[in-house]
Amino acid sequence: MARVKIDLPVSFSFATEIPVRITDLNYGGHVGNDTVLSIIHEARMQFLHQYGCTEMNFGGAGMIMSDVGIEFKQELFYGDVIKASVAMEEISKVSFVLYYKLEKEINSRLVLVAAARTGMVCYNYETKKMAAFPEAIKQHFII
């Protein structure tokens, strides 16, 4: 069986801390896979917020997730604080990829707990069609 392998970018333009809540735990006593998806959603929202954007107003367009991949490396437990880093790459006419690096501190060093990527498509929710990547947003992300 082929395993998901996420090749993370070298640098990330944004990082935030997200604490693990008691409600994030599953019956195994650790953070469940569905919660990791929610954690990267929170990281994405905070990433967009720093540019004055939301998923519904991304420089005039909306966005919709077209695919997701998560590579799990370590368990997360109640009380852990996740350092969630986000980077945008692979910008095209209508889409882009967001990469997520989730880390926690173990023995005074950051350890990768999960790597993820989401394929995002610019979307017009009124017409229900893809939209162009907003020119006003490109200046923030293209170096």
Side-chain angles (χ1 to χ4, degrees):
M1 175 173 98
R3 293 186 41 114
V4 171
K5 176 71 175 134
I6 308 289
D7 293 321
L8 293 173
V10 174
S11 64
F12 287 79
S13 62
F14 175 79
T16 189
E17 291 187 348
I18 301 172
V20 174
R21 305 165 306 164
I22 194 68
T23 56
D24 293 332
L25 304 185
N26 65 15
Y27 58 86
H30 57 228
V31 169
N33 55 11
D34 57 329
T35 300
V36 172
L37 186 58
S38 293
I39 289 167
I40 67 172
H41 187 194
E42 176 64 28
R44 179 171 61 252
M45 293 301 293
Q46 291 187 32
F47 170 76
L48 293 169
H49 185 271
Q50 80 171 345
Y51 298 107
C53 296
T54 67
E55 291 177 330
M56 297 301 290
N57 187 359
F58 182 61
M63 64 176 66
I64 195 165
M65 186 186 306
S66 61
D67 59 69
V68 63
I70 303 172
E71 183 179 2
F72 300 97
K73 297 291 197 176
Q74 296 277 333
E75 291 177 297
L76 287 165
F77 300 98
Y78 177 72
D80 285 340
V81 176
I82 303 160
K83 179 183 178 189
S85 302
V86 182
M88 181 184 289
E89 294 197 347
E90 302 174 42
I91 297 170
S92 77
K93 291 179 181 179
V94 297
S95 66
F96 55 96
V97 174
L98 290 175
Y99 287 93
Y100 311 83
K101 179 171 60 172
L102 304 183
E103 300 169 294
K104 72 176 182 178
E105 191 172 309
I106 300 176
N107 297 324
S108 299
R109 67 181 187 91
L110 286 175
V111 175
L112 183 67
V113 296
R117 68 175 299 286
T118 54
M120 306 300 292
V121 175
C122 297
Y123 190 74
N124 182 320
Y125 280 89
E126 290 178 17
T127 64
K128 306 289 186 205
K129 294 182 180 180
M130 288 188 291
F133 189 98
E135 290 295 324
I137 299 296
K138 283 185 182 179
Q139 66 185 352
H140 296 300
F141 301 104
I142 298 179
I143 301 169

